């Protein structure tokens, strides 16, 4: 597997300082840099990046639509054309400055432009710092079907600077903290659900722990064939909930949809794998302090099940989920029938 350098807060050298050293090495001699941003990171983050990383001070930037709108084949084609017209060659480097949508699109463009060029991720959202920017998964959406097209292409480096979190609205932090808790649970880094306000989970130590957990899992299963599936706890339900929310004109952020999906997954974990009822109850109380849970009727479950049947993790027409036996003990590819899926969704 191609190695990816993970730059975390440690010691006196800042993550951006380490990135500056990395990009200043001879490996990047003659390279042209293209910084991918959206409107938010252009306004709030680009100045900090280029002022701390000398090699990026003469970069060109490419502005993308905000959010999931950028993850389309049409946007990818426009970006390929922009790179071509700008004279980007195989020695060029893309720097993705943003959340998971920017790194998904930017990584996909990098993996395909001229059969593959190098790229670097500089995540600016909590969710991206602990999950989306790490591991080399790139993706586009097809309609409301999330991540239906993509590739595995490792970034040269991932630079995680928690100072960027100061630019985020509260909803973005809520979305990221759910993904953070998921990683700590499946990685066995905690042995009980957190108590108190959700803000207390957002520490540099927990961010580093999540990044290291995901990196170790990806190293064991880079192309997502086995153990990496544990990172999908809550995602089979969560992706369906997220997609369905867009059809109802009440879009739910990815991390919050996963948070609701984890309620469903832990409910089934109690019934199918013997997970402690206390763990489920504690999680439900905790997530209730982070977000209002969606409420579904039996009528809602049919389109939700329809979306889940298209989940790329399914096999031979069977819906497969990740469930939890205990902290640090996830079970992958558990077959769930339609009645169980409806039951879990109605628990919301």
């Amino acid at each position: 597997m191609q190695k990816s350098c993970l730059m975390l807060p440690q010691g006196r050298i800042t993550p951006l300082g380490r990135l500056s050293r990395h990009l200043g090495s001879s490996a990047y001699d003659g390279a042209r840099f293209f910084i991918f941003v959206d409107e938010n990171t252009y306004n709030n983050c680009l100045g900090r990046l280029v002022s701390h990383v000398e090699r990026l001070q003469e970069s060109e930037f490419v502005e993308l639509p905000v959010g999931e709108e950028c993850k389309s084949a049409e946007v990818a084609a426009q970006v390929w054309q922009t790179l071509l017209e700008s004279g980007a060659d195989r020695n060029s480097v893309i720097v993705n400055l943003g959340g998971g949508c920017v790194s998904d699109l930017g990584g996909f463009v990098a993996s395909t432009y001229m059969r593959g060029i190098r790229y670097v991720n500089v995540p600016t959202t909590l969710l991206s710092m602990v999950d989306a920017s790490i591991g080399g998964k790139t993706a586009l959406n097809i309609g409301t079907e999330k991540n239906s097209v993509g590739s595995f292409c490792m970034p040269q480096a991932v630079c995680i600077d928690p100072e960027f979190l100061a630019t985020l609205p509260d909803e973005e932090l809520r979305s990221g903290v759910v993904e953070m808790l998921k990683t700590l649970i499946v990685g066995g880094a905690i042995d009980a659900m957190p108590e108190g306000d959700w803000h207390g989970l957002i520490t540099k130590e927990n961010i580093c722990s999540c990044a290291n957990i995901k990196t170790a899992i990806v190293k064991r299963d880079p192309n997502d064939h086995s153990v990496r599936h544990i990172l999908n706890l809550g995602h089979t339900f969560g992706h369906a909930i997220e997609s369905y929310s867009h059809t109802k004109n009440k879009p739910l952020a990815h991390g919050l949809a996963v948070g609701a999906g984890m309620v469903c997954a832990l409910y089934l974990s109690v019934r199918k794998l013997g997970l402690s009822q206390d763990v489920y109850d504690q999680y439900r109380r905790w997530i209730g302090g982070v977000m209002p849970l969606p409420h579904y009727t039996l009528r809602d479950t049919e389109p939700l099940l329809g979306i889940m049947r298209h989940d790329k993790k399914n096999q031979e027409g069977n819906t497969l989920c990740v469930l939890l036996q205990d902290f640090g003990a996830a079970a992958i590819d558990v077959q769930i029938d339609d009645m169980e899926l409806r039951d879990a969704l109605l628990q919301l």
Side-chain angles (χ1 to χ4, degrees):
M1 182 185 78
Q2 176 189 344
K3 291 184 178 180
S4 179
C5 179
L6 185 63
M7 299 169 182
L8 297 168
Q10 59 182 13
R12 297 194 305 181
I13 303 176
T14 66
L16 289 179
R18 293 180 63 198
L19 179 62
S20 187
R21 288 186 179 184
H22 177 78
L23 297 183
S25 71
S26 60
Y28 294 93
D29 284 351
R32 291 178 61 193
F33 294 92
F34 294 81
I35 304 175
F36 284 18
V37 294
D38 61 19
E39 181 181 358
N40 295 325
T41 55
Y42 175 78
N43 291 329
N44 300 316
C45 305
L46 183 59
R48 175 176 172 80
L49 176 67
V50 298
S51 66
H52 285 77
V53 183
E54 186 176 357
R55 284 296 299 273
L56 298 182
Q57 290 175 4
E58 296 183 2
S59 302
E60 300 178 46
F61 69 89
V62 177
E63 187 168 341
L64 305 172
V66 174
E68 294 287 332
E69 288 184 20
C70 84
K71 291 173 55 176
S72 70
E74 292 77 15
V75 172
Q78 292 169 11
V79 174
W80 288 322
Q81 188 66 35
T82 297
L83 292 174
L84 198 62
E85 292 173 356
S86 300
D89 57 23
R90 295 203 66 190
N91 196 36
S92 297
V93 180
I94 292 172
V95 178
N96 296 314
L97 179 66
C101 293
V102 172
S103 62
D104 274 356
L105 183 281
F108 181 79
V109 167
S111 73
T112 50
Y113 182 74
M114 293 196 171
R115 297 199 177 108
I117 62 175
R118 294 174 292 178
Y119 76 101
V120 170
N121 284 335
V122 183
T124 59
T125 66
L126 181 58
L127 191 152
S128 188
M129 289 180 187
V130 301
D131 184 68
S133 70
I134 301 168
K137 281 186 178 180
T138 78
L140 302 181
N141 301 332
I142 299 177
T144 60
E145 300 290 337
K146 279 181 60 67
N147 305 332
S148 299
V149 174
S151 62
F152 289 95
C153 180
M154 291 295 289
Q156 297 295 302
V158 179
C159 177
I160 296 175
D161 182 1
E163 297 298 323
F164 284 121
L165 297 181
T167 69
L168 294 182
D170 202 53
E171 183 179 3
E172 281 288 349
L173 291 174
R174 292 173 189 269
S175 188
V177 80
V178 174
E179 199 80 43
M180 173 181 283
L181 179 59
K182 177 218 70 178
T183 302
L184 295 172
I185 288 172
V186 299
I190 58 174
D191 56 11
M193 291 295 172
E195 298 288 342
D197 184 69
W198 57 269
H199 287 88
L201 205 61
I202 307 174
T203 65
K204 288 184 179 180
E205 292 73 20
N206 281 339
I207 291 171
C208 291
S209 179
C210 288
N212 286 324
I213 287 169
K214 181 159 187 184
T215 300
I217 292 170
V218 169
K219 186 176 180 180
R220 293 170 59 192
D221 181 21
N223 291 331
D224 201 14
H225 292 309
S226 55
V227 67
R228 188 168 174 172
H229 290 189
I230 67 174
L231 296 170
N232 290 324
L233 179 66
H235 281 64
T236 299
F237 286 100
H239 280 163
I241 290 168
E242 182 181 2
S243 295
Y244 187 60
S245 74
H246 285 268
T247 70
K248 306 298 284 186
N249 294 317
K250 296 180 179 179
L252 195 60
H254 172 74
L256 298 181
V258 169
M262 283 178 61
V263 172
C264 301
L266 295 183
Y267 171 80
L268 292 176
S269 298
V270 172
R271 278 140 189 80
K272 292 180 74 71
L273 301 183
L275 178 70
S276 167
Q277 180 71 37
D278 285 344
V279 171
Y280 170 76
D281 292 339
Q282 289 166 15
Y283 175 75
R284 191 172 181 113
R285 285 196 298 272
W286 181 84
I287 196 65
V290 177
M291 61 177 289
L293 291 173
H295 294 275
Y296 297 126
T297 66
L298 194 58
R299 179 180 296 176
D300 293 309
T301 64
E302 289 311 306
L304 283 161
L305 262 63
I307 297 170
M308 279 189 271
R309 292 187 186 107
H310 289 94
D311 193 287
K312 58 185 177 295
K313 297 181 292 296
N314 294 345
Q315 296 176 7
E316 298 178 353
N318 297 315
T319 301
L320 305 179
C321 289
V322 177
L323 301 183
L324 190 71
Q325 295 172 301
D326 202 351
F327 294 97
I332 65 174
D333 298 341
V334 180
Q335 186 171 329
I336 311 294
D337 65 35
D338 285 359
M339 288 301 294
E340 291 170 321
L341 294 173
R342 289 189 187 92
D343 183 24
L345 287 165
L346 291 172
Q347 296 308 310
L348 291 170

